[in-house]
Amino acid sequence: MLQKITVMGGVDKNGHPEPIRRLDIHPGEVLAVVGPTGAGKTQLIADIEQYREGEAPTGRQVLIDGHPYAHDPLSPGPRHLVAEVSQKMNFIIDTTVEAFLARHARVRAIASPKTVINTVLTVANQLAGEPLSPTDNLTRLSGGQARALMVGDVALISNAPVVLVDEIENAGIDRLSAMAILSAHGKMVLVVTHDPTLMLMAGRRVIMKNGGMHQLHRTTPAEIAIMETLAAREKDISRLRDTLRSGQQITDNVPNKETQETWQAFYCTARSTSAGRSAN
C-alpha cells in the first residue's frame, strides 16, 4: 500500500530554488493547490501525474514511498497510481452507465461488482443535481453527471491512490461532499482551486507563486470555523436554488439579512488570522 508521495522542490520561472523544498502527501489527505492564474498550479499537478525525475523545466522530482518512480514497464515498481477528475470531463464511449461500471469492476477484479456498482450510483446521485440511472447512455450525461460518476468510480472501483482534481468548483456537483468521499476512501487528493471554501476544507494548502511552491499552510481552527460558516451559507443558497429551479416562487419565510455584527465578526476573524500568518 502506498504510504506517501513526495515532491522534491525544483525551481520557479526565474530559475530560483522553490522555497518549499519537500512536500509529502499522505493517504486520506486533501491538499489544496492555490494561487492566481499563471502561478504554476497546473504544472505542479502535471509533474506529479508524470512522476517527474528532474527532467521537466521545473526540475522537480516525484518520489513514491521515498524512491524514484521506475519507468521500466517490466519492473515491479508502482504503476497507474494517479486518477484525474477534470472540470472538462465527458465520455465518448457509446454504452450504458451500468455496462461501463461493470467493465471497470471486472478489470479491477472487484469481488462483488453488483454491490459496488449500486454504491457508485448512490454516490454519484448524492453529488449530481440530476439523477443518474444504470440504463443512461454515457454520451448523454451532462457534465455534472459525468464528473459525479467519475468521483464515485475513482473512490470505489479505481485502485489509484492519488486523485488529481482540477477546479471542481466549476464541475456542477457537490464539491465538498466529493472531497470528503475521496479522502474517506484513503485517497491522496490534490485539488487545484480558486474556491475559498475548498481551500479551507483542505487540511493543508500549498501556495504557488511565479511557477514555484512558495508557501505551505496548515488550516487553522479559526479557518475551519470560517469554512463551516461558508458551508452553511452555501447549503441555504443550494436550497434556494433548488426551490427556484423546481418552478416554485418565494412568497414567505424569507431569511432575514445577516446583521452587520455577523459580517464584522467574520471580517475580524479573517483579518486577525491573516495578520498572525504574516507575523510567522
Side-chain angles (χ1 to χ4, degrees):
M1 178 179 177
L2 183 65
Q3 298 299 314
K4 67 178 178 180
I5 290 283
T6 301
V7 182
M8 303 300 296
V11 296
D12 65 15
K13 292 179 180 179
N14 293 332
H16 300 144
E18 293 180 274
I20 304 301
R21 302 308 302 161
R22 181 187 181 107
L23 175 62
D24 291 319
I25 310 158
H26 298 90
E29 177 178 11
V30 178
L31 175 72
V33 182
V34 307
T37 300
K41 301 185 296 297
T42 301
Q43 184 60 58
L44 174 61
I45 293 298
D47 286 347
I48 294 172
E49 185 177 21
Q50 297 168 30
Y51 316 114
R52 292 297 192 183
E53 296 184 355
E55 78 281 10
T58 61
R60 295 185 186 118
Q61 184 180 23
V62 177
L63 305 179
I64 311 299
D65 283 339
H67 303 285
Y69 175 77
H71 284 287
D72 183 357
L74 300 179
S75 75
R79 293 187 291 275
H80 310 301
L81 297 177
V82 177
E84 184 177 1
V85 179
S86 169
Q87 60 173 318
K88 298 178 181 178
M89 181 173 292
N90 286 294
F91 292 98
I92 58 174
I93 304 174
D94 186 14
T95 189
T96 66
V97 169
E98 184 174 33
F100 164 75
L101 294 175
R103 183 179 304 175
H104 194 191
R106 185 166 57 252
V107 169
R108 300 297 185 183
I110 300 295
S112 303
K114 186 64 176 178
T115 300
V116 172
I117 289 170
N118 290 337
T119 306
V120 169
L121 286 169
T122 298
V123 168
N125 283 323
Q126 176 186 339
L127 301 177
E130 309 163 77
L132 287 87
S133 167
T135 58
D136 286 343
N137 190 289
L138 288 177
T139 60
R140 296 187 178 182
L141 296 182
S142 69
Q145 288 176 315
R147 285 178 281 276
L149 181 62
M150 284 310 303
V151 169
D153 178 87
V154 167
L156 294 159
I157 297 180
S158 173
N159 59 4
V162 183
V163 182
L164 308 179
V165 183
D166 184 15
E167 297 188 18
I168 199 170
E169 60 263 32
N170 299 323
I173 65 175
D174 184 343
R175 69 211 188 289
L176 300 184
S177 293
M179 295 299 97
I181 288 168
L182 290 170
S183 63
H185 283 83
K187 305 294 183 179
M188 303 179 193
V189 184
L190 288 88
V191 54
V192 174
T193 183
H194 297 281
D195 184 330
T197 309
L198 271 181
M199 293 180 196
L200 297 180
M201 180 188 181
R204 295 185 298 164
R205 59 187 181 274
V206 58
I207 290 82
M208 304 300 297
K209 182 178 180 181
N210 194 35
M213 297 184 292
H214 188 67
Q215 293 176 305
L216 182 63
H217 291 315
R218 187 172 297 278
T219 306
T220 66
E223 290 174 336
I224 292 173
I226 292 173
M227 182 274 293
E228 291 173 347
T229 299
L230 292 173
R233 296 181 194 281
E234 289 183 10
K235 286 184 179 179
D236 291 337
I237 293 173
S238 178
R239 284 193 290 267
L240 177 60
R241 180 181 62 241
D242 291 342
T243 297
L244 295 174
R245 288 197 303 191
S246 68
Q248 301 180 55
Q249 290 184 293
I250 308 299
T251 56
D252 55 14
N253 296 324
V254 179
N256 293 326
K257 293 182 180 179
E258 284 103 5
T259 63
Q260 182 177 356
E261 290 78 8
T262 299
W263 282 105
Q264 183 65 27
F266 177 89
Y267 170 74
C268 289
T269 300
R271 183 176 59 181
S272 63
T273 300
S274 177
R277 287 248 175 83
S278 299
N280 293 331

